[in-house]
Amino acid sequence: MDKNNKVIYGVFTDPDVTLAAVKALRREGVRIKEVYCPFPVHGLDEAMGYKPTNISVSAFVFGATGCSLAALMIWYMNIHDWPMNIGGKPSFSFAENFPAFVPVLFESTVLLAAHGMIATFYFVTKLFPGFPGRNPDKRSTDDRFVMEIDLSEQSLSEDDIKRLLQKYGASEINHP
Amino acid sequence: MHGESPFRKPLILGDKSYHQITEDICRPIEQRAGKLYYVAFALAFTALLWGVGLIAYLIGTGVGVWGLNRTVNWAWDITNFVWWVGIGHAGTLISAILLLFRQRWRMSINRSAEAMTIFAVICAAMFPLIHMGRIWVSYWTLPLPNQFGPLWVNFNSALLWDVFAITTYFTVSLGFWYTGLIPDFATVRDRQTIPFMKIIYRITAMGWTGRVKDWQRFEEVSLVLAGLSTPLVLSVHSVVSFDFATSVIPGWHTTIFPPYFVAGAIFSGFAMVLTLLLVMRKVLHLEDYITIYHVENMNKIIIVTGSIVGVAYITELFISWYSGVMYEQYAFINRATGPLSWSYWIMMSCNVISPQLFWIKKLRTNLLFTFIMSLVVNVGMWFERFVIIVTSLHRDFLPSAWTMFYPTYVDIGIFIGSLGIFFTLFLLFSRTFPVIAMAELKSILKISGEAQKQKQAVLEPEHAQH
């Protein structure tokens, strides 16, 4: 039997059964390549052995950048390059005028933080208009939880894995 | 099992399966629309064309075609601007603030409420732009050097803050909304059989696959974006209110404006959400997802924000008397008893008195009454902005400069046109987008579905006794 790049799919219909199956199969020594879900199942990331995502760091970095760039822009335009004296209220230093600059600093922080984070998310998740959906079973965006198991990297035999999948509640076992 | 108290009302009625949710929400996209839809669309689109024509006339001729004059230099245009921005606020409140508070009932309404936000902000942003008169120099509001020398925009000006606030609000709302849509677009994509539809939804779904890591990031991104949008939405209407509050016009120059405007914005926004959703749930057969319980919750928010607005009106009156400033006092006497007092009393009765009827449970769970009230509130909130803007301006410091304001057909037509733009966009949305966040709703089906809750109560009867 050709064991190279052979993949089987265990299809589940319930999120809790899927979660329990992932935990049980991993305990039995099966290496699960991926689970495609129609909605987020809480605890599944942990059960798969994933670390918590640190994508929110990107929001902080972009936000800090936005705030600094806005401060630099305001300082250059209104303090350094062309200080205006409006109604006898001159703007000769950034500190003196700081309260009036808060709204723009805040909006610029949020603007860059939000868009930077969204862009980071699209980039690391490989989302771009027109990319094909790479989920192997089309029902995995509807009501099925599809567990992908690569047989080439298993210590157990194919039959053992199939038996385990059945035992832990897979409704079907498919070959691509 | 992570069950929920059986005393909590179900959020999804009937015995739904995950697949049934997909079917129910994809149906409007995949089926032909009824006759009524085309009638509504034709009406909205006619209004849009009428508005666009008048905008072209306004830009070609100048803002003189409006009823503005030297004393009343802001009137319907800025009223419409503030009204539309305010309407937008409910969408962000539902999707961001209710997410932070873990309110599950938001999941049936957040998608369409956010769509409403986007369309309302489009309508809003149009008004300051056309009010500039020379729209081709609108780029002067951007931080670019003025072409007549190294003069920059003034960062001390509330009007410039507004440019930044509205731009940020619009683009961030759009990004938040679209990011939430991607998994649902993937659901739609994976069920299409017609090649054209396949291509369209393949583009919009951006290749979403729903891997565990994707969902983990997705949830984190949603949470952080909600955290960013919450102060953002509160800041936007505060900044809009600064346009007035930082001036020295009696009736505008008050520190109460930011919280009062934000409460009013949420108040009118929820009214507009109700107007749209009460029709949408009937037409698209979504009664099982947008239930009476959802409507009742929204009505409760209307009572709270309506009461805040009422307190603000009375506080304003008291402070104008207490200030001892005669111009300030006159501004309020003129509002209540002057030639435009009818608009003041429309505002008072629509915004302060009528929402109090929602204290009666029978009324706030009655759909027809809620629908009528949602229209009443929106009328009231439009008049609130009209009262603030026009009655404060038309009798200013020098009696020799006092005038009246009369709208021309261009004023009225562009307002109707903005309604046309809004409803055209919303009608298009309702037949091409998944109008309910399917993935989110599926994630609470086992906890908040009606049949699932009943099963839960049978399995764990000891819960029912506590």
Side-chain angles (χ1 to χ4, degrees):
Chain A
M1 189 168 66
D2 178 25
K3 278 198 123 186
N4 290 326
N5 60 39
K6 193 167 178 212
V7 172
I8 57 166
Y9 298 107
V11 181
F12 295 80
T13 56
D14 185 281
D16 297 312
V17 174
T18 314
L19 180 58
V22 167
K23 283 180 184 161
L25 260 74
R26 278 173 60 91
R27 216 182 307 119
E28 304 266 8
V30 179
R31 296 181 62 172
I32 299 164
K33 198 173 167 204
E34 193 55 73
V35 185
Y36 299 92
C37 308
F39 56 83
V41 180
H42 289 271
L44 197 57
D45 46 351
E46 218 174 302
M48 287 284 286
Y50 293 141
K51 275 186 273 179
T53 174
N54 49 12
I55 195 164
S56 41
V57 172
S58 69
F60 178 78
V61 172
F62 278 104
T65 313
C67 191
S68 323
L69 286 178
L72 187 68
M73 171 179 77
I74 295 169
W75 168 80
Y76 176 73
M77 291 177 185
N78 273 190
I79 306 294
H80 177 75
D81 194 45
W82 191 278
M84 284 183 253
N85 185 335
I86 294 154
K89 286 175 268 182
S91 42
F92 294 142
S93 84
F94 191 85
E96 275 174 320
N97 268 50
F98 181 72
F101 297 154
V102 168
V104 174
L105 290 174
F106 170 75
E107 303 295 342
S108 308
T109 310
V110 172
L111 185 75
L112 254 79
H115 289 297
M117 188 183 197
I118 291 170
T120 310
F121 173 61
Y122 290 177
F123 183 75
V124 296
T125 317
K126 295 184 188 64
L127 295 172
F128 194 78
F131 276 11
R134 290 166 298 254
N135 40 339
D137 190 327
K138 292 293 166 219
R139 292 171 302 168
S140 78
T141 52
D142 178 12
D143 61 345
R144 293 292 199 279
F145 303 80
V146 177
M147 192 187 288
E148 186 176 56
I149 296 169
D150 190 343
L151 293 177
S152 62
E153 47 185 39
Q154 306 298 337
S155 49
L156 284 95
S157 75
E158 184 180 344
D159 291 335
D160 281 343
I161 293 172
K162 280 182 178 172
R163 208 171 42 247
L164 282 171
L165 276 171
Q166 230 140 30
K167 182 182 165 195
Y168 291 111
S171 62
E172 345 167 356
I173 296 160
N174 295 333
H175 300 271
Chain B
M1 267 295 294
H2 35 72
E4 191 188 59
S5 160
F7 292 106
R8 280 191 187 276
K9 287 194 180 122
L11 297 172
I12 305 162
L13 299 181
D15 190 2
K16 304 279 185 213
S17 63
Y18 295 128
H19 183 63
Q20 190 59 40
I21 293 180
T22 312
E23 288 287 328
D24 286 345
I25 289 159
C26 293
R27 197 185 307 118
I29 300 172
E30 291 157 359
Q31 279 185 357
R32 282 184 170 279
K35 214 181 269 167
L36 208 64
Y37 176 81
Y38 288 103
V39 173
F41 190 82
L43 270 173
F45 198 66
T46 313
L48 179 146
L49 289 178
W50 173 237
V52 169
L54 285 176
I55 290 169
Y57 171 58
L58 172 94
I59 292 170
T61 316
V63 280
V65 298
W66 276 338
L68 302 177
N69 51 51
R70 218 162 49 88
T71 307
V72 185
N73 43 24
W74 279 3
W76 275 47
D77 38 41
I78 305 299
T79 303
N80 296 338
F81 162 68
V82 181
W83 189 68
W84 278 120
V85 179
I87 283 172
H89 279 47
T92 319
L93 182 105
I94 291 169
S95 58
I97 300 182
L98 296 185
L99 187 146
L100 295 183
F101 282 114
R102 302 270 179 230
Q103 293 294 309
R104 292 198 182 110
W105 61 275
R106 79 173 193 284
M107 291 173 181
S108 302
I109 53 174
N110 58 358
R111 175 69 43 75
S112 36
E114 264 185 88
M116 180 198 77
T117 296
I118 312 263
F119 305 149
V121 177
I122 291 173
C123 291
M126 186 181 86
F127 282 99
L129 281 175
I130 59 175
H131 184 259
M132 288 174 186
R134 288 178 286 164
I135 195 168
W136 50 93
V137 295
S138 54
Y139 67 90
W140 285 3
T141 58
L142 303 175
L144 300 166
N146 187 305
Q147 60 214 51
F148 304 114
L151 182 62
W152 300 90
V153 291
N154 180 9
F155 285 98
N156 300 299
S157 162
L159 295 176
L160 187 69
W161 304 344
D162 225 10
V163 173
F164 276 84
I166 300 288
T167 311
T168 306
Y169 183 50
F170 178 71
T171 59
V172 170
S173 299
L174 194 65
F176 190 14
W177 183 58
Y178 198 85
T179 305
L181 267 165
I182 289 172
D184 286 353
F185 273 141
T187 307
V188 179
R189 171 196 69 199
D190 288 345
R191 5 182 315 123
Q192 296 312 314
T193 45
I194 305 161
F196 174 72
M197 298 278 273
K198 269 188 184 170
I199 295 167
I200 293 293
Y201 289 105
R202 181 172 145 166
I203 293 169
T204 55
M206 309 223 303
W208 176 262
T209 39
R211 290 171 303 190
V212 177
K213 193 74 188 171
D214 297 354
W215 278 118
Q216 188 198 39
R217 289 185 186 128
F218 178 86
E219 294 226 290
E220 184 85 358
V221 169
S222 305
L223 184 68
V224 174
L225 284 180
L228 286 169
S229 300
T230 300
L232 177 65
V233 67
L234 300 178
S235 84
V236 170
H237 226 62
S238 301
V239 168
V240 169
S241 79
F242 291 160
D243 292 348
F244 303 98
T246 57
S247 74
V248 289
I249 308 287
W252 289 4
H253 190 61
T254 54
T255 47
I256 201 178
F257 263 24
Y260 154 35
F261 267 50
V262 170
I266 292 163
F267 180 56
S268 66
F270 267 88
M272 188 56 103
V273 171
L274 281 168
T275 311
L276 294 172
L277 290 192
L278 287 175
V279 177
M280 195 178 86
R281 71 191 281 276
K282 262 264 161 342
V283 175
L284 303 183
H285 307 293
L286 298 171
E287 286 100 332
D288 287 343
Y289 302 100
I290 301 164
T291 66
I292 303 269
Y293 176 65
H294 291 90
V295 173
E296 193 188 346
N297 277 339
M298 287 191 266
N299 281 338
K300 284 179 183 167
I301 292 184
I302 286 188
I303 306 178
V304 172
T305 49
S307 305
I308 295 174
V309 168
V311 169
Y313 291 166
I314 294 160
T315 310
E316 254 188 343
L317 276 180
F318 171 75
I319 293 296
S320 71
W321 166 75
Y322 186 67
S323 70
V325 179
M326 93 194 213
Y327 299 107
E328 192 72 28
Q329 287 169 346
Y330 181 72
F332 282 86
I333 292 170
N334 180 44
R335 271 185 198 181
T337 61
L340 289 168
S341 61
W342 53 273
S343 58
Y344 183 80
W345 294 109
I346 290 178
M347 163 188 111
M348 274 293 189
S349 44
C350 291
N351 293 350
V352 184
I353 300 162
S354 60
Q356 301 304 325
L357 292 171
F358 277 146
W359 287 104
I360 303 160
K361 192 177 168 99
K362 253 214 171 94
L363 291 178
R364 70 168 181 264
T365 50
N366 182 313
L367 296 178
L368 182 68
F369 182 77
T370 303
F371 184 72
I372 294 166
M373 279 301 301
S374 72
L375 299 175
V376 166
V377 167
N378 268 320
V379 170
M381 283 309 291
W382 191 88
F383 274 103
E384 178 200 295
R385 279 64 180 253
F386 179 79
V387 165
I388 291 173
I389 293 167
V390 176
T391 64
S392 302
L393 285 174
H394 86 121
R395 289 190 167 178
D396 59 0
F397 304 96
L398 280 178
S400 60
W402 289 4
T403 64
M404 277 294 282
F405 170 77
Y406 301 103
T408 64
Y409 77 97
V410 185
D411 279 299
I412 300 166
I414 292 179
F415 175 57
I416 293 171
S418 73
L419 288 170
I421 294 171
F422 179 75
F423 285 111
T424 303
L425 289 170
F426 198 84
L427 285 166
L428 287 174
F429 157 80
S430 70
R431 297 222 77 99
T432 47
F433 282 56
V435 293
I436 288 180
M438 282 187 271
E440 269 193 292
L441 210 56
K442 284 174 190 169
S443 72
I444 58 158
L445 178 68
K446 283 191 103 174
I447 305 163
S448 299
E450 190 182 23
Q452 286 79 0
K453 275 182 90 95
Q454 274 163 5
K455 258 175 245 161
Q456 194 78 9
V458 174
L459 283 174
E460 300 167 52
E462 74 275 14
H463 265 235
Q465 286 158 18
H466 296 303

